[in-house]
Amino acid sequence: IVALTTNNKSAQSLLNKLIRSNLVNTTNQVEVLQKDPSSPLYSVRSFEELHLKPQLLRGVYGMGFNRPSKIQETALPMMLAEPAQNLIAQSQSGTGKTAAFVLAMLSHVDPNLNHPQCLCVSPTYELALQTGKVIEQMGKHYPEVKLVYAIRGNKLPRGMKLEEQIVIGTPGTMLDWCSKFRFIDPKKIKVFVLDEADVMIATQGHQDQSIRIQRMLPKNCQMLLFSATFEESVWSFAQRIVPEPNIIKLKREEETLDTIKQYYVLCNSKEEKFQALCNIYGGITIAQAMIFCHTRKTAGWLAGELSREGHQVALLSGEMQVEQRAAVIERFRDGKEKVLVTTNVCARGIDVEQVSVVINFDLPVDREGNPDNETYLHRIGRTGRFGKRGLAINMVDSKMSMNILNRIQDHFSK
Ligand SMILES: Nc1ncnc2c1ncn2[C@@H]1O[C@H](COP(=O)(O)OP(=O)(O)OP(=O)(O)O)[C@@H](O)[C@H]1O
């Protein structure tokens, strides 16, 4: 068990993976920038069209995938094309990126050659393991293809040469295995995958290590880079890693407040807010509710008070380890608890789709104490035209918080 701090990008990413059981739906179109615009672009609507090895097609269907996801429709033909095409792809978590590059790796390996042919770098040990699981599931009917983890703690005897075709690991160990220990001959690599580039660059040293690995690979090695976000720093890193890239971007669906009913409750103190919450408790637990507090301390206090009143609540708190947090969210997602009390920091980036009631026990403010409209929208907004109806209740306990609420109201004209 590794303790990860609240703000940690890799912890967030891991939580989302652990929690997610489905594809995230999106009606947005993919944006494609081809390296060679003269060659016709094609995308596929079915896995059959990709002419996968039969063992892999069985693996794909065995995982319950019926058809390619939005990003897979365009990314898969590109990744499977001959000669190999490089790709930089950005789309939000849960849209099918991992499944896509796993399929590409499995398609490109030659099971008769007993040496590493695909390298996949992930930002952390835990994320590497998650990807490894997908490789194992998808390659279930293709047992000749073997997998090994290049992670700290996996110590191999000196002078050894790896026989597994796929190596997945973290940048530091991967680099050591390629250069210092020579367990891997980088010149024989056909596919290089860099996953979660945005998480990767948040860690000191990972960027350089990845670039050093990349420089050892042959010119014709396929380079694939994936990221959930695409800020400037990720983009410049991507361009250093992936020469002559095709680029695919899938915009995140915009959130709106259109289908949300928003209310506020006027109180005079924290205790009154708690009382107000108890009064509506029966109403909000018909559905599932998330309650946001400003600090960890308030969240802990509120969860304690609610429990003392005999209510069943879950608490998501910053000091919990990532596994504990995953367990809490999983129970909530499965409906075992109807109410989740949390802070914004803790819940950021975590999508729990079925929440239809959001309570702002404290209104979202930034460090200067100004209204944080973006966070308000993230907490309460719904995506897509068919977004479910929702209910938001804001607790106001002072002139100051009334002022904040008025400014949020002005901002959204709602
Ligand atoms: N074509 C598909 N049809 C149905 N389910 C799919 C398909 N592709 C992927 N999935 C499932 O959807 C979920 C998200 O996919 P995946 O992990 O590949 O997304 P991702 O974009 O890599 O997100 P993250 O970076 O958070 O892992 C997984 O549970 C995966 O098994």
Side-chain angles (χ1 to χ4, degrees):
I1 294 178
V2 182
L4 292 154
T5 55
T6 11
N7 252 329
N8 198 318
K9 278 193 150 190
S10 56
Q12 241 179 52
S13 180
L14 181 63
L15 280 175
N16 268 326
K17 268 187 213 284
L18 295 173
I19 292 153
R20 176 156 303 118
S21 52
N22 279 314
L23 268 178
V24 166
N25 270 325
T26 167
T27 51
N28 275 335
Q29 288 306 312
V30 257
E31 239 179 82
V32 186
L33 242 158
Q34 271 190 288
K35 178 194 73 175
D36 179 6
S38 63
S39 73
L41 164 81
Y42 68 106
S43 63
V44 290
R45 288 300 165 103
S46 72
F47 286 110
E48 274 84 8
E49 287 173 69
L50 293 166
H51 306 293
L52 300 167
K53 293 197 173 78
Q55 316 77 308
L56 291 179
L57 194 59
R58 275 177 71 198
V60 168
Y61 287 139
M63 290 177 81
F65 300 180
N66 296 321
R67 43 161 300 167
S69 71
K70 203 90 179 184
I71 185 125
Q72 289 164 0
E73 287 181 355
T74 342
L76 283 171
M78 259 181 201
M79 290 194 286
L80 300 177
E82 293 288 346
Q85 307 243 351
N86 290 345
L87 175 67
I88 296 176
Q90 177 255 323
S91 72
Q92 94 186 71
S93 163
T95 46
K97 297 186 294 295
T98 308
F101 71 72
V102 165
L103 195 53
M105 288 199 292
L106 287 169
S107 296
H108 286 307
V109 293
D110 181 344
N112 301 312
L113 300 176
N114 294 321
H115 61 75
Q117 300 158 43
C118 302
L119 301 184
C120 173
V121 264
S122 284
T124 65
Y125 167 64
E126 291 82 2
L127 289 166
L129 284 185
Q130 292 304 316
T131 305
K133 279 191 199 157
V134 180
I135 299 177
E136 271 159 25
Q137 278 178 299
M138 206 171 272
K140 192 175 162 199
H141 306 286
Y142 200 12
E144 308 92 287
V145 178
K146 298 274 187 317
L147 166 71
V148 64
Y149 293 95
I151 46 186
R152 293 247 169 277
N154 196 357
K155 299 256 186 294
L156 307 177
R158 283 206 174 253
M160 181 176 163
K161 295 278 177 236
L162 289 175
E163 298 195 340
E164 290 84 352
Q165 293 89 350
I166 301 178
V167 188
I168 166 158
T170 47
T173 310
M174 191 75 93
L175 178 63
D176 284 350
W177 284 21
C178 286
S179 56
K180 194 165 149 198
F181 299 117
R182 300 185 185 280
F183 298 142
I184 299 168
D185 180 357
K187 286 282 165 266
K188 291 185 178 156
I189 300 303
K190 294 197 279 192
V191 185
F192 178 61
V193 178
L194 201 141
D195 192 19
E196 312 234 16
D198 50 349
V199 182
M200 196 77 87
I201 62 170
T203 306
Q204 269 282 322
H206 274 176
Q207 202 167 152
D208 284 346
Q209 289 160 343
S210 306
I211 289 168
R212 286 173 62 197
I213 299 169
Q214 193 265 7
R215 291 216 180 113
M216 287 187 268
L217 305 173
K219 281 257 164 325
N220 61 354
C221 174
Q222 181 175 40
M223 313 276 174
L224 308 169
L225 180 140
F226 298 86
S227 184
T229 59
F230 230 172
E231 54 270 19
E232 196 46 44
S233 53
V234 180
W235 179 231
S236 57
F237 173 56
Q239 286 186 310
R240 291 180 72 188
I241 288 272
V242 186
E244 298 181 22
N246 294 290
I247 299 160
I248 299 181
K249 286 190 201 179
L250 181 63
K251 281 217 208 76
R252 199 190 168 97
E253 206 111 354
E254 295 215 358
E255 287 159 331
T256 74
L257 294 172
D258 291 347
T259 54
I260 313 300
K261 281 193 161 39
Q262 302 169 75
Y263 295 89
Y264 66 90
V265 185
L266 272 176
C267 309
N268 288 307
S269 64
K270 186 168 79 171
E271 286 70 24
E272 270 190 38
K273 290 200 287 187
F274 167 68
Q275 203 45 58
L277 186 57
C278 289
N279 294 345
I280 57 173
Y281 197 87
I284 62 171
T285 47
I286 291 168
Q288 274 189 293
M290 256 169 113
I291 305 177
F292 288 92
C293 300
H294 189 58
T295 63
R296 206 195 278 188
K297 198 170 149 222
T298 311
W301 170 82
L302 182 60
E305 292 296 304
L306 286 169
S307 307
R308 244 189 300 284
E309 286 286 307
H311 299 306
Q312 255 209 339
V313 294
L315 173 65
L316 194 66
S317 186
E319 69 269 10
M320 289 176 175
Q321 286 176 330
V322 73
E323 285 81 0
Q324 290 175 299
R325 280 193 264 158
V328 170
I329 297 170
E330 221 161 333
R331 285 178 57 81
F332 180 64
R333 190 200 57 197
D334 297 344
K336 293 192 178 113
E337 260 107 25
K338 294 283 216 170
V339 175
L340 182 69
V341 182
T342 182
T343 62
N344 200 47
V345 177
C346 239
R348 185 169 296 144
I350 292 167
D351 310 312
V352 184
E353 278 169 36
Q354 74 271 35
V355 176
S356 49
V357 182
V358 172
I359 301 201
N360 288 320
F361 194 78
D362 296 308
L363 293 167
V365 288
D366 64 18
R367 286 215 187 110
E368 284 78 46
N370 291 312
D372 184 347
N373 297 313
E374 197 187 333
T375 298
Y376 186 85
L377 183 64
H378 275 323
R379 284 184 188 175
I380 291 165
R382 293 285 182 278
T383 61
R385 283 182 298 146
F386 306 107
K388 282 186 248 140
R389 292 190 167 275
L391 170 67
I393 299 171
N394 297 291
M395 302 274 179
V396 172
D397 62 359
S398 61
K399 279 217 171 70
M400 213 166 66
S401 54
M402 194 64 232
N403 174 269
I404 304 269
L405 190 70
N406 282 329
R407 284 160 72 190
I408 293 176
Q409 180 172 303
D410 289 345
H411 177 86
F412 291 107
S413 313
K414 279 222 156 44

